[in-house]
Amino acid sequence: MAALLRGSRCLVGKCHNHVNAVQVSIRSMASKTQVGFVGLGNMGNPMAKNLIKHGYPVIASDVFPESCKELQELGAQILDSPADVADKADRIITMLPSSPNVIDVYTGPNGILKKVKKGSLLIDSSTIDPAVSKDMAVAAEKLGAVFMDAPVSGGVGAATSGKLTFMVGGPEEEFNAAKELLSCMGANVVYCGQVGTGQAAKICNNMLLAIGMIGTAETMNLGIRLGLDPKLLAKILNMSSGRCWSSDTYNPVPGVMEGVPSANNYQGGFGTTLMAKDLGLAQYTATNTKTPVPLGSLAHQIYRMMCARGYASKDFSSVFQFLREEEGQ
């Protein structure tokens, strides 16, 4: 079946429409064949685990071997490089920290595209510059493979519970094949348009998330300074028009909620460094499209300052702690 899938693209020049239809039908039949996964960090690890839970044999690789141990114990096959993964699997998911990592994993000396098979489906769930996604798609297409961007929202908690939201960009005729895999790891899989549009949606979401978190942190801090109990204030906000995800699901004030990073010294979750990176992407794309984003720009500055002040590895909700420390200076 995998060989059929790999070979299906060879006939494209002869009968493009027919082959596309055949490819899609073959992909839907190819379920439970092995899936490659590259990048087993805070997000990639639980995502790969959910593929295993749904019965997919996983072939994985990560630049840090220790990240692979847990997955190996669950039955995953661990290989040395992304190229080795591409040699074994026709469907590969990547989850990496930044654009340079994606470029290296796909086009580097040991990259996926060194050994990718014709007909392979490559799904990148990293949050990167949309232009890089487009470049990877062009490079993959030259080798007869399909690249789709599918960044996620929901954080480590949603990755663990299989309730991520995937924003997918790429050829529409390949969306169902991608959705088959992504649905094992997410509750929402949304088609956004051509390659790069998934990244665009994610960048916009995270810019709003950062602005909302800073606003929630400022509001909670002001209320506490005015003598309000933080739990009471959060309760009032969450039944009023100021309610948002940062106030009702991911409150940044220690002691207000359980099971969130603020209850664990801001460990885990979505790191400040990653939020600063995503805001940098928003700033870059806003500049290129001449889009005014004054609050997005200010949020970017705040998170960059936090990275320089010792908050780089803490969850991005630690902006509350950062503001408290700033007021004492």
Side-chain angles (χ1 to χ4, degrees), residues 11-30:
L11 302 173
V12 169
K14 296 180 181 177
C15 189
H16 185 268
N17 292 336
H18 172 71
V19 173
N20 275 348
V22 171
Q23 283 171 223
V24 173
S25 64
I26 289 174
R27 285 202 201 287
S28 64
M29 292 161 57

Side-chain angles (χ1 to χ4, degrees), residues 12-64:
V12 169
K14 296 180 181 177
C15 189
H16 185 268
N17 292 336
H18 172 71
V19 173
N20 275 348
V22 171
Q23 283 171 223
V24 173
S25 64
I26 289 174
R27 285 202 201 287
S28 64
M29 292 161 57
S31 58
K32 308 306 182 187
T33 57
Q34 52 199 15
V35 177
F37 207 108
V38 179
L40 301 173
N42 288 339
M43 294 293 290
N45 186 292
M47 288 168 66
K49 283 181 185 174
N50 280 322
L51 284 172
I52 293 173
K53 285 178 185 175
H54 281 81
Y56 289 93
V58 169
I59 300 172
S61 180
D62 191 278
V63 68
F64 298 108

Side-chain angles (χ1 to χ4, degrees), residues 309 311 314 320-329:
R309 301 275 184 88
Y311 289 85
K314 294 193 175 216
F320 174 78
Q321 189 180 54
F322 173 71
L323 292 172
R324 298 278 282 187
E325 288 188 1
E326 287 295 294
E327 75 189 22
Q329 292 182 6

Side-chain angles (χ1 to χ4, degrees), residues 28-143:
S28 64
M29 292 161 57
S31 58
K32 308 306 182 187
T33 57
Q34 52 199 15
V35 177
F37 207 108
V38 179
L40 301 173
N42 288 339
M43 294 293 290
N45 186 292
M47 288 168 66
K49 283 181 185 174
N50 280 322
L51 284 172
I52 293 173
K53 285 178 185 175
H54 281 81
Y56 289 93
V58 169
I59 300 172
S61 180
D62 191 278
V63 68
F64 298 108
E66 60 272 20
S67 300
C68 304
K69 290 179 182 176
E70 199 175 353
L71 214 63
Q72 191 169 23
E73 290 171 359
L74 293 173
Q77 183 182 354
I78 306 301
L79 299 178
D80 291 336
S81 72
D84 292 337
V85 173
D87 191 43
K88 299 272 189 183
D90 295 300
R91 297 181 290 178
I92 302 172
I93 297 166
T94 52
M95 182 50 126
L96 304 158
S98 66
S99 296
N101 299 118
V102 170
I103 293 169
D104 183 58
V105 161
Y106 278 90
T107 66
N110 293 306
I112 288 169
L113 298 185
K114 289 295 181 186
K115 293 188 179 180
V116 71
K117 301 177 188 302
K118 287 184 178 180
S120 291
L121 179 63
L122 312 174
I123 304 171
D124 180 42
S125 287
S126 318
T127 299
I128 60 172
D129 182 350
V132 173
S133 294
K134 293 175 184 176
D135 289 344
M136 295 303 101
V138 170
E141 187 177 17
K142 288 178 181 176
L143 297 169

Side-chain angles (χ1 to χ4, degrees), residues 50 153-154 157-165 185-188:
N50 280 322
S153 179
T160 302
S161 62
K163 294 182 178 178
L164 291 166
T165 291
M185 303 175 283
N188 303 295

Side-chain angles (χ1 to χ4, degrees), residues 213 217 250-253 260-262 266 270 272 303 306 314-321:
M213 180 57 77
Y250 211 83
N251 200 285
V253 181
V260 293
S262 63
Y266 300 105
F270 185 61
T272 295
Y303 277 102
M306 289 174 64
K314 294 193 175 216
D315 179 73
F316 81 108
S317 63
S318 63
V319 66
F320 174 78
Q321 189 180 54

